[in-house]
Amino acid sequence: MFKTEVYKQRRDALKAKIKSGIGLFLGNNEMPMNYAGNTFLYRQDSTFLYFFALDMPGLAGVIDFDEGKDYIFGNDVDMEDIIWMGPQPLMKDNGLKAGVNHVHSFGELDSFLKNAIEKKREIHFIPQYRHDNQILLEKLTGIKIADQKNRSSLSLIKAIIALRNVKDQYEIEELEKAAAIGYEMHVTAMKMAKPGISEREIAGTIEGIALARGAGVSFPIILSQNGETLHNHDHSQVLQAGRMMITDAGAETTLHYASDYTRTIPVGGKFTQRQREIYQIVLDANNAVTAAVKPGVTYQSIHLMAARVIASGLKALDLMQGDVDEAVSAGAHAMFFPHGLGHMMGMDVHDMENYGEDYVGYDEETKRIQQFGTAYLRLGRKLQPGYVLTNEPGIYFIPALIQQWKDEGKFRQFINYSKAESYIGFGGIRLEDDLLVTQNGCRLIGKRIPVTIEEVESTMKG
Ligand SMILES: [Mn+2]
């Protein structure tokens, strides 16, 4: 964990924003995999980690905004726990590490909250995504699971987002560590990508790196030679010469800060002419984004700029036609680039997505554009120094989508369907870097993973 002061300051910053009521922060519990005693890799809730630091199951945190007091509810281990898990620090001492003096048994949370509810005090909570915590929240507050999302505290959600969207120096150091693990994962995948090797072997090897260097992957690895499927978790194929392999993967540090990178490489190490041409467009879009990111600019406008770079590159290859600006305003590029340019990143790889994507990535000033493709943009709002986000443009040839749009006669003035059909089987290319918005612009987090055609080919050779 960070030093105690960091967590105190975070809770104080929240108290400055929320003036009354009680904030309830449920930690995550162990989660059964195939029977109660055999659990998934444990992951503490990120909001709990942010304010209360303790990375272990069976806890809840409370902030009394009226009295300015912080509480942790959790039980000391008993002899049976000590026999199976070894000796553990007392909860009182765990609390002190997080700067919390008021530590009570978990059972006391119920009467604490019942008392507050009787006094008609507001209980602020964020939407719960784990079923056991949804059940617990219903038990503690009487609010039915189906109503919990609506009854969650918008003022708390907005206050936490305002804090967590801006990363401090300690968080940036952690994100750099996550980047270094991601670098090693991706370079290893590049070197392994020879014809005849299975996707599973590469995916398993780089997941091992994430576990060996930190807390594991920041999301399930996407690794496939079917890169036209955006989130392909199927690793059942054997790599073939002439195909490309897309790897979208990142790691979490032991303090649970994430990295998230995508690279697309030619199986065997040499791009074909056709692959080079499409690859270069995606790289140009990625580079243009890094050059454009700065405070005060909306990411929505940068997304649309990247779409124009892609559309004009595709026009030069005769895959698109007509006026580029008109094509992008109409949404014609989205047949090739059907997703958003990126998202916020922090402790969650899609940071705070459990709060509601629109609250994190949009605000009063910038609303989501409801057009196919751009509608999937997770981050649209005006950028501020300290934001950490991903830059991940892509070009894909999705056979079913090409077929459907062609049958509908959609955007015939902008799309050359016969040319597009000749790319069926090509796959897809995405290139993703992680950026920190600085005072005047942005910088990459971590050392850039080989990305130019020359860098990728020489890394794969050597
Ligand atoms: Mn991403």
Side-chain angles (χ1 to χ4, degrees), residues 73 105 138 159 177 184 213 231 256 313 321 377 384 436 447 455:
F73 293 85
S105 72
E138 179 173 328
K177 290 181 201 163
E184 191 181 343
R213 306 270 181 268
H231 281 181
H256 303 289
Q321 58 210 9
L377 180 61
Q384 290 177 31
L436 167 69
K447 186 165 82 167
E455 285 166 357

Side-chain angles (χ1 to χ4, degrees), residues 369-407:
I369 294 173
Q370 301 294 343
Q371 180 191 68
F372 175 78
T374 308
Y376 297 123
L377 180 61
R378 293 190 163 94
L379 169 62
R381 64 158 70 195
K382 198 178 268 185
L383 303 175
Q384 290 177 31
Y387 280 13
V388 169
L389 49 93
T390 66
N391 163 14
E392 47 182 313
I395 296 177
Y396 312 85
F397 295 89
I398 304 168
L401 186 62
I402 295 171
Q403 187 66 50
Q404 191 197 57
W405 281 30
K406 187 192 170 197
D407 290 349

Side-chain angles (χ1 to χ4, degrees), residues 232-449:
N232 203 333
H233 297 299
D234 179 274
H235 302 144
S236 65
Q237 297 186 73
V238 172
L239 297 186
Q240 292 167 7
R243 305 286 300 275
M244 288 177 295
M245 180 180 84
I246 203 165
T247 305
D248 185 346
E252 275 193 5
T253 63
T254 52
L255 296 192
H256 303 289
Y257 283 82
S259 59
D260 179 9
Y261 293 114
T262 308
R263 287 294 183 266
T264 309
I265 57 169
V267 174
K270 208 89 185 114
F271 286 99
T272 65
Q273 183 56 31
R274 208 170 229 207
Q275 289 167 349
R276 296 172 84 94
E277 288 167 356
I278 301 292
Y279 189 96
Q280 192 58 48
I281 302 170
V282 179
L283 181 56
D284 289 345
N286 174 294
N287 286 334
V289 169
T290 303
V293 164
K294 62 177 180 185
V297 178
T298 69
Y299 210 49
Q300 189 174 69
S301 70
I302 296 178
H303 168 93
L304 293 170
M305 183 275 294
R308 287 192 294 272
V309 173
I310 286 169
S312 83
L314 293 172
K315 186 180 167 181
L317 292 178
D318 200 26
L319 279 154
M320 292 188 75
Q321 58 210 9
D323 184 81
V324 166
D325 291 351
E326 279 174 33
V328 169
S329 322
H333 65 283
M335 191 180 85
F336 304 100
F337 175 35
H339 61 76
L341 183 61
H343 49 85
M344 291 286 200
M345 191 183 77
M347 268 190 282
D348 307 304
V349 66
H350 294 171
D351 215 17
M352 297 171 276
E353 198 162 284
N354 55 313
Y355 293 14
E357 216 173 86
D358 281 344
Y359 298 129
V360 181
Y362 293 85
D363 53 22
E364 287 309 311
E365 206 179 345
T366 311
K367 297 289 174 203
R368 190 182 288 262
I369 294 173
Q370 301 294 343
Q371 180 191 68
F372 175 78
T374 308
Y376 297 123
L377 180 61
R378 293 190 163 94
L379 169 62
R381 64 158 70 195
K382 198 178 268 185
L383 303 175
Q384 290 177 31
Y387 280 13
V388 169
L389 49 93
T390 66
N391 163 14
E392 47 182 313
I395 296 177
Y396 312 85
F397 295 89
I398 304 168
L401 186 62
I402 295 171
Q403 187 66 50
Q404 191 197 57
W405 281 30
K406 187 192 170 197
D407 290 349
E408 290 171 1
K410 217 168 163 176
F411 300 128
R412 263 185 303 214
Q413 69 276 40
F414 298 124
I415 296 171
N416 181 349
Y417 282 103
S418 57
K419 188 84 191 246
E421 280 178 322
S422 77
Y423 279 74
I424 284 174
F426 177 94
I429 293 175
R430 178 166 65 253
L431 297 172
E432 177 178 24
D433 291 323
D434 301 337
L435 303 178
L436 167 69
V437 183
T438 58
Q439 291 302 324
N440 328 304
C442 75
R443 69 169 177 84
L444 270 77
I445 297 193
K447 186 165 82 167
R448 200 176 192 191
I449 298 165

Side-chain angles (χ1 to χ4, degrees), residues 114 157 160 172 175 192 225 349 370 376 388 404 410:
K114 291 275 167 359
I157 288 171
I160 300 175
I172 292 162
L175 289 160
M192 286 179 78
Q225 60 184 351
V349 66
Q370 301 294 343
Y376 297 123
V388 169
Q404 191 197 57
K410 217 168 163 176

